[in-house]
Amino acid sequence: MDDATPDGSAITVEVVYADATRQIVRRLELPAGSTVMEAVTASELERDVPVGTIDPTRLGIFSRRVSPD
């Protein structure tokens, strides 16, 4: 993943993980056109949740399920 698109455009996103006991929020700036999975990876959430917790088939944007791509 590059730091910016050829025209330099970027987007700010928040990646959120929540379970019954906690919520983790990471704000990131990514190149425009980045995928959901690229955002999850860039957020480094995987280091703060149990192994196997992040399931690419259960990702969402504003509570609507989306594909990792």
Side-chain angles (χ1 to χ4, degrees):
M1 180 169 54
D2 298 327
D3 291 334
T5 59
D7 67 359
S9 60
I11 57 172
T12 301
V13 300
E14 287 185 344
V15 177
V16 179
Y17 167 83
D19 63 23
T21 61
R22 67 182 174 159
Q23 178 176 318
I24 301 169
V25 179
R26 303 270 167 76
R27 179 172 274 216
L28 311 164
E29 188 169 303
L30 299 170
S34 294
T35 67
V36 173
M37 201 65 218
E38 288 171 334
V40 170
T41 300
S43 74
E44 298 181 342
L45 276 178
E46 293 164 327
R47 69 178 186 188
D48 296 321
V49 298
V51 173
T53 300
I54 298 175
D55 179 352
T57 65
R58 297 181 48 98
L59 300 174
I61 298 176
F62 296 117
S63 300
R64 293 184 182 249
R65 223 171 245 186
V66 297
S67 76
D69 297 329

